[in-house]
Amino acid sequence: MASRSPRISFLLLPQLLSLLLLPWASHARDAISPGQPLRGNETLVSAGGGSFALGFFTPPGSNNTYLGVWYARVSVRTVVWVANRAAPIRGPLDHNARAALSVSADCTLAVSDSNSTIVWSAPPAAGLGLGRDCTARIQDDGNLVVVAAAAADGGEGERVSWQGFDHPTDTLLPGMRVGVDFESGTNMTLTAWASPSDPSPGPVVAVMDVSGDPEVFIWNGDEKVWRSGPWDGVQFTGVPDTATYSGFTFRFVNSDREVTYSFHLAPGATIVSRLALNSTGLLQRWTWVESANKWNMYWYAPKDQCDAVSPCGANGVCDTNALPVCACLRGFSPRQPDAWAMRENRAGCARATPLDCARAGNGNGTSDGFTVVPHAKVPDTTNATVDFGASLDQCRRLCLANCSCAAYASANLSRAQGQRGCVMWYGGLEDLRVYPNFGQDLYVRLAAADLDSISKSKKKVQVITAVTVSIGTLAVILALIGFFFWRRKRTKSRLPGPNKWSGISHSRGLQSEGTSHGDDLELPIFDLETIAAATDSFSTDNKLGEGGYGPVYKGKLEDGEEIAVKTLSKASTQGLDEFKNEVMLIAKLQHRNLVRLLGCCICGEEKILIYEYMANKSLDFFLFDKSRSMLLNWQTRYRIIEGIARGLLYLHQDSRYRIVHRDLKTSNILLDEDMIPKISDFGMARIFGGNDSEINTLRVVGTYGYMAPEYAMDGVFSVKSDVFSFGVIVLEIITGTRNRGVYSYSNHLNLLAHAWSLLNEGNSLDLVDGTLKGSFDTDEVLKCLKAGLLCVQENPEDRPLMSQVLMMLAATDAASLPTPKQPGFAARRAAAATATATEDTSSSRPDCSFVDSMTITMVEGR
Ligand SMILES: *[C@@H]1O[C@H](CO)[C@@H](O)[C@H](O)[C@H]1NC(C)=O
Ligand SMILES: *[C@@H]1O[C@H](CO)[C@@H](O)[C@H](O)[C@H]1NC(C)=O
Ligand SMILES: *[C@@H]1O[C@H](CO)[C@@H](O)[C@H](O)[C@H]1NC(C)=O
Ligand SMILES: *[C@@H]1O[C@H](CO)[C@@H](O)[C@H](O)[C@H]1NC(C)=O
Ligand SMILES: *[C@@H]1O[C@H](CO)[C@@H](O)[C@H](O)[C@H]1NC(C)=O
Ligand SMILES: *[C@@H]1O[C@H](CO)[C@@H](O)[C@H](O)[C@H]1NC(C)=O
Ligand SMILES: *[C@@H]1O[C@H](CO)[C@@H](O)[C@H](O)[C@H]1NC(C)=O
Ligand SMILES: *[C@@H]1O[C@H](CO)[C@@H](O)[C@H](O)[C@H]1NC(C)=O
Ligand SMILES: *[C@@H]1O[C@H](CO)[C@@H](O)[C@H](O)[C@H]1NC(C)=O
């Protein structure tokens, strides 16, 4: 790389020097020619980037020697291609220094052992004229190519006689194809190693099946293990999370000449990624994470119960989010009801009413119709036919015209408009699954009788819904009118003054010092002696932690009541305003899920707040600790989520003022002895005036990982930015994992994006904290997860209000919740990365507040 750059930075010199000092560097070559074989003790290194090496190796735990290609710049030896996998050279590498890879004058590539016996060879391309100079070269993309120089008579240019990329072993590198090339007659399949120490071909293979609409199958011996589903123009329908990949592009060619799939790196992407077939039967995408010095599993298949091939049999539908996972398609019933009841579903389902085939052959004569199955991974296409020219409408007619046609779907989704091309299925619909969000529409043919019963039941539901909705709306309107009048009356009699900010900026309440029964602020004033006595003169033994203001102490009043004493450190420059802010706010707020302020003290220089003491510290103290998180069972977590939601609803809507907390995070959720959550730390909170719905601030305070994108980026905050933070907390409670903000969760995804893609795949339960050991209420988890993801949507308008969140939690089932859009920050990841200063490294301290390392504070002043 560096040597190609005209300006070599002096910073690179040490690296260049060290490269030169490496043993192979001085005589590293990238090609062999006739008479100059590659010996057992040598390697070729690709020119250009030096990314790949070719040489002999002995896998750990083996006694054989093989010729292979591996990453030259990845510190974990990773072999991506093997030549003589089925014909090993006996004995380990150090006994085989005289083994050789050679290329002959006629372009035959051969591997020979120490006795010069040829164990493996690749023949030259047919029709290659004689008298050409042949070389074999390892290219920087990992391809081993045999190149014939231009023909002596000048009639033909340089020609690739043979290449390793046409003969994949178990790994697909960027640019490598899997599938069939009809022109050259090559069938590119992946075949897993027999075991990690044995590169010989094992029983696990991945093959492009071209008999119907092409799709990739993984076989383990005679058993189909996984099916990719057909290419829908954008992705394989069985790999629906392709949309979340960044840095990759995908290519699927379906023509007379070839049917192949390949992946490529987006221009400029420096990802090191490979798709490998594991001997255990998994197809895995790995990406190299340099900073962690390891391969990270980016994707894998099969993933879940529904990924197994046809777990629900013909005409069954598999849905991981349903219980039980298998159901019959509408208009179908189990073929073997007894077995089906025992959840042995492979016999599948049969039509309740036979199709009307009387007038088959004439599409407009039959009474049959179609029902839509949305979000489908379409059925096995082995026996399906594809018509890339037909529109969906034509397809419908074609399907009706053939009595054995059971369903159709669009064949190409890459162009929304017109959706040309369609697939038609005949006979049973095998291996159909549905996703909550990804997937495409499948049109299943039904007899008129079954369609009628569907539309009738739909109508019924619609009527009931309409009636319910109108009654509900009426009730809500009446309630709102009542509330409006009640509030007007109340507001008139209670409001302190025209300007609601005055209470804060002029600290009205603090003027009532000594008159602890003021109208606005019924807050006892403590004196310093009382507090000193309670905290043992602020002894370090009683220190609970260090807040943003200063230290927090535990204390005990004379009457035995335990208190938390929060001091405002003199050094803190921004402390006083926030102190007043907090006093004013909390004094006015009384709610079961807000921490209660017992009093305050402004004793000369000292400014102190006295709170009720929370026996169980804060939520992060439990949640992110392996052993303590076991104490949080799902019921407790669910109650905590509800509690936070109620507290926040009170702040946002139900208290006298509309308050935005601005710094919600797990360390600000305190837990009392009954594990009831209490929101604390209002130092950053803002009261909103009657008509404001959002405020723009130049001073962004808060904690990364919890801050809504519009607040972190643009300084705009509203109740919806609190809703975002709430959503993050909910996801953290479900997973027991910190959202590291813009930092990677599984290399390329943060917690929010990860949760979103699992939800859309229907694998959300994979997210749930392992310490719950599977004991949780699935529906509650799904409700919380969906609600959480709705709260972290990119666009603030899309996020629900806290009142709506509580309604979602109370909903009868998760399926009735709307589908969340992509979370914020997943979309803006790149932009956010530049604004990040520090990572959330907070330990489990109680009441960690806002001015420590995990907080960013931007420009001062309003
Ligand atoms: C490899 O071994 C041969 C003889 O066995 C020796 O001549 C040659 O120098 C060795 N090459 C390297 C790079 O060690
Ligand atoms: C390799 O060969 C050596 C010597 O023949 C033998 O002791 C050893 O067990 C073998 N290892 C394996 C993994 O077969
Ligand atoms: C090479 O030949 C010798 C003698 O024929 C034999 O003993 C030895 O096993 C052979 N080595 C290999 C690697 O085939
Ligand atoms: C490709 O190879 C696989 C396995 O070797 C085989 O099952 C399949 O039929 C072949 N496909 C074609 C088109 O030759
Ligand atoms: C197969 O998968 C397992 C589990 O993901 C992994 O540890 C192992 O390294 C993989 N094997 C190969 C040969 O990559
Ligand atoms: C069926 O529909 C096609 C096109 O709409 C029309 O041309 C044809 O006459 C119709 N056939 C019958 C039997 O109605
Ligand atoms: C395809 O048709 C063959 C022959 O009728 C049948 O055995 C096989 O089960 C069918 N496959 C699928 C996936 O429907
Ligand atoms: C219906 O489709 C099947 C499968 O393509 C085909 O074999 C059969 O001939 C078709 N029947 C009619 C009546 O077109
Ligand atoms: C799908 O449509 C896109 C856009 O028109 C086109 O480029 C692509 O070739 C189509 N794919 C197939 C399989 O027809």
Side-chain angles (χ1 to χ4, degrees):
M1 275 282 189
S3 58
R4 279 198 309 204
S5 159
R7 289 174 292 130
I8 298 176
S9 157
F10 67 91
L11 288 173
L12 285 174
L13 276 178
Q15 272 139 316
L16 284 177
L17 281 177
S18 68
L19 279 180
L20 292 175
L21 293 175
L22 285 177
W24 46 262
S26 52
H27 46 118
R29 43 180 185 152
D30 70 335
I32 55 170
S33 46
Q36 292 183 315
L38 176 79
R39 289 289 170 190
N41 56 359
E42 295 171 315
T43 47
L44 298 185
V45 176
S46 60
S51 308
F52 287 94
L54 172 80
F56 289 90
F57 71 100
T58 297
S62 164
N63 262 347
N64 293 328
T65 298
Y66 301 86
L67 177 81
V69 174
W70 58 87
Y71 289 96
R73 284 139 61 97
V74 164
S75 55
V76 177
R77 169 68 71 92
T78 311
V79 175
V80 295
W81 187 82
V82 183
N84 56 324
R85 62 188 304 194
I89 297 170
R90 303 287 161 208
L93 181 58
D94 44 359
H95 296 159
N96 282 303
R98 294 215 44 85
L101 171 73
S102 57
V103 63
S104 72
D106 73 344
C107 282
T108 303
L109 196 62
V111 173
S112 52
D113 66 15
S114 303
N115 288 352
S116 299
T117 309
I118 292 179
V119 297
W120 177 91
S121 68
L128 207 62
L130 287 175
R132 316 268 293 247
D133 283 335
C134 293
T135 47
R137 168 175 287 112
I138 177 73
Q139 295 184 162
D140 208 34
D141 57 1
N143 197 2
L144 170 62
V145 291
V146 179
V147 183
D153 58 8
E156 205 185 357
E158 199 179 76
R159 181 168 160 199
V160 172
S161 157
W162 182 93
Q163 58 176 339
F165 270 22
D166 284 344
H167 306 274
T169 54
D170 67 333
T171 303
L172 204 64
L173 293 173
M176 209 164 173
R177 298 172 302 165
V178 62
V180 184
D181 186 331
F182 300 114
E183 269 199 331
S184 63
T186 41
N187 182 357
M188 292 156 282
T189 61
L190 299 181
T191 307
W193 289 23
S195 79
S197 62
D198 180 3
S200 65
V204 177
V205 293
V207 183
M208 179 78 74
D209 185 321
V210 296
S211 54
D213 195 3
E215 45 187 345
V216 175
F217 282 100
I218 299 178
W219 293 84
N220 189 348
D222 293 336
E223 191 197 352
K224 261 187 205 175
V225 183
W226 182 73
R227 180 177 73 91
S228 70
W231 187 258
D232 67 10
V234 182
Q235 61 200 359
F236 286 116
T237 84
V239 191
D241 66 344
T242 310
T244 63
Y245 284 33
S246 54
F248 295 93
T249 59
F250 303 92
R251 200 156 136 222
F252 188 84
V253 182
N254 184 359
S255 69
D256 294 344
R257 302 164 69 168
E258 60 176 299
V259 176
T260 57
Y261 162 83
S262 57
F263 75 94
H264 305 259
L265 300 183
T270 54
I271 305 166
V272 176
S273 179
R274 65 195 164 96
L275 196 61
L277 191 61
N278 197 299
S279 48
T280 57
L282 289 179
L283 186 59
Q284 298 162 316
R285 179 179 293 282
W286 300 92
T287 50
W288 177 252
V289 187
E290 186 65 52
S291 55
N293 206 40
K294 71 175 188 87
W295 286 103
N296 187 50
M297 195 164 26
Y298 190 99
W299 170 88
Y300 66 95
K303 269 193 182 161
D304 54 38
Q305 219 173 335
C306 293
D307 260 355
V309 170
S310 211
C312 305
N315 308 312
V317 192
C318 196
D319 180 356
T320 48
N321 273 353
L323 277 176
V325 292
C326 283
C328 284
L329 278 166
R330 285 210 174 143
F332 290 78
S333 50
R335 231 179 255 284
Q336 295 173 1
D338 295 344
W340 190 274
M342 296 292 107
R343 303 199 175 169
E344 170 43 61
N345 311 99
R346 289 184 186 266
C349 309
R351 260 177 214 289
T353 315
L355 293 175
D356 172 22
C357 284
R359 278 172 286 183
N362 169 8
N364 32 15
T366 172
S367 63
D368 295 341
F370 292 90
T371 178
V372 185
V373 178
H375 302 308
K377 171 185 175 184
V378 296
D380 195 323
T381 48
T382 317
N383 296 337
T385 59
V386 202
D387 184 337
F388 281 108
S391 69
L392 266 190
D393 242 19
Q394 287 167 329
C395 221
R396 179 192 173 90
R397 254 175 276 139
L398 285 171
C399 188
L400 284 175
N402 186 328
C403 192
S404 45
C405 177
Y408 70 93
S410 172
N412 194 345
L413 302 179
S414 72
R415 238 182 351 176
Q417 193 203 7
Q419 291 205 345
R420 281 195 90 77
C422 64
V423 196
M424 280 170 285
W425 285 266
Y426 306 91
L429 302 173
E430 289 278 354
D431 196 24
L432 170 63
R433 73 173 292 184
V434 291
Y435 298 106
N437 194 11
F438 298 135
Q440 67 179 105
D441 286 347
L442 175 74
Y443 301 87
V444 176
R445 184 174 185 175
L446 285 186
D450 293 328
L451 283 169
D452 281 355
S453 70
I454 291 171
S455 51
K456 265 184 206 144
S457 65
K458 250 193 200 153
K459 266 195 195 124
K460 225 179 191 172
V461 170
Q462 274 165 1
V463 169
I464 294 174
T465 319
V467 169
T468 322
V469 166
S470 46
I471 292 178
T473 317
L474 201 68
V476 169
I477 291 173
L478 286 177
L480 279 179
I481 293 174
F483 178 72
F484 177 73
F485 279 108
W486 172 78
R487 214 181 131 104
R488 247 169 71 135
K489 220 169 124 195
R490 209 175 114 101
T491 313
K492 266 189 192 149
S493 59
R494 295 283 303 270
L495 259 191
N499 180 358
K500 289 174 204 160
W501 284 96
S502 63
I504 305 305
S505 40
H506 305 123
S507 59
R508 273 165 59 110
L510 295 176
Q511 290 159 7
S512 63
E513 204 174 329
T515 62
S516 57
H517 298 287
D519 185 42
D520 275 320
L521 185 55
E522 296 170 27
L523 188 65
I525 305 294
F526 287 74
D527 53 37
L528 193 55
E529 289 83 69
T530 315
I531 299 168
T535 58
D536 221 353
S537 300
F538 299 99
S539 104
T540 46
D541 291 348
N542 283 332
K543 196 159 151 182
L544 288 172
E546 194 78 29
Y549 297 98
V552 181
Y553 298 91
K554 182 181 175 179
K556 200 173 204 173
L557 295 177
E558 271 178 357
D559 62 4
E561 185 174 7
E562 289 189 311
I563 56 172
V565 174
K566 186 167 169 177
T567 59
L568 175 62
S569 78
K570 281 167 242 164
S572 165
T573 52
Q574 46 172 252
L576 187 60
D577 277 349
E578 273 130 21
F579 177 75
K580 289 173 181 168
N581 197 357
E582 183 156 11
V583 172
M584 291 304 300
L585 274 178
I586 309 179
K588 287 168 185 156
L589 302 173
Q590 296 281 335
H591 189 270
R592 177 180 148 89
N593 296 113
L594 301 185
V595 73
R596 198 154 57 89
L597 185 63
L598 302 175
C600 76
C601 169
I602 302 188
C603 325
E605 297 258 285
E606 304 284 343
K607 293 167 193 68
I608 296 170
L609 290 171
I610 294 99
Y611 288 100
E612 57 180 332
Y613 174 71
M614 288 293 136
N616 278 319
K617 309 202 170 172
S618 55
L619 182 53
D620 63 337
F621 180 72
F622 283 89
L623 202 53
F624 304 130
D625 180 279
K626 270 252 148 30
S627 51
R628 284 191 287 259
S629 65
M630 307 244 217
L631 300 173
L632 292 180
N633 62 23
W634 174 251
Q635 278 153 312
T636 310
R637 292 186 197 215
Y638 188 68
R639 268 192 289 124
I640 290 174
I641 291 174
E642 274 188 325
I644 303 170
R646 293 219 174 85
L648 207 50
L649 173 67
Y650 174 81
L651 286 179
H652 286 177
Q653 281 163 274
D654 294 349
S655 72
R656 283 165 65 185
Y657 309 111
R658 200 139 47 95
I659 293 162
V660 177
H661 185 286
R662 292 213 285 165
D663 196 21
L664 275 177
K665 54 184 171 185
T666 48
S667 56
N668 280 343
I669 308 295
L670 307 186
L671 297 170
D672 75 0
E673 67 275 11
D674 300 323
M675 291 302 229
I676 291 171
K678 313 244 178 188
I679 300 172
S680 79
D681 220 328
F682 296 84
M684 291 294 114
R686 281 291 191 82
I687 297 182
F688 270 38
N691 297 322
D692 305 336
S693 65
E694 57 178 47
I695 289 183
N696 203 305
T697 180
L698 286 175
R699 204 179 135 213
V700 175
V701 289
T703 306
Y704 253 127
Y706 294 93
M707 261 194 278
E710 75 279 2
Y711 179 40
M713 302 293 143
D714 310 323
V716 178
F717 69 91
S718 65
V719 291
K720 294 296 184 69
S721 33
D722 273 359
V723 169
F724 184 97
S725 312
F726 171 77
V728 176
I729 292 176
V730 170
L731 295 177
E732 290 185 333
I733 291 176
I734 296 171
T735 58
T737 316
R738 268 184 213 283
N739 177 36
R740 299 208 166 268
V742 296
Y743 283 82
S744 58
Y745 178 77
S746 65
N747 192 22
H748 292 287
L749 301 177
N750 69 6
L751 174 60
L752 311 186
H754 182 66
W756 185 73
S757 73
L758 283 185
L759 177 79
N760 288 329
E761 282 166 7
N763 292 321
S764 353
L765 298 183
D766 290 2
L767 275 174
V768 179
D769 194 342
T771 59
L772 292 177
K773 298 211 167 63
S775 87
F776 48 80
D777 178 328
T778 310
D779 215 51
E780 276 177 6
V781 168
L782 288 176
K783 274 193 292 186
C784 291
L785 178 71
K786 256 186 156 177
L789 281 169
L790 285 164
C791 291
V792 297
Q793 292 175 107
E794 167 87 11
N795 185 348
E797 275 105 67
D798 292 340
R799 294 175 207 149
L801 291 167
M802 288 316 295
S803 50
Q804 293 168 319
V805 170
L806 276 159
M807 274 158 65
M808 289 176 191
L809 295 182
T812 44
D813 68 304
S816 62
L817 268 53
T819 303
K821 296 188 191 154
Q822 191 163 19
F825 277 126
R828 294 212 210 180
R829 203 166 41 220
T834 59
T836 319
T838 52
E839 189 174 354
D840 183 346
T841 52
S842 77
S843 57
S844 307
R845 271 176 293 137
D847 203 1
C848 285
S849 194
F850 42 83
V851 199
D852 54 21
S853 66
M854 51 203 229
T855 305
I856 55 143
T857 301
M858 276 146 76
V859 196
E860 286 281 335
R862 293 204 312 264

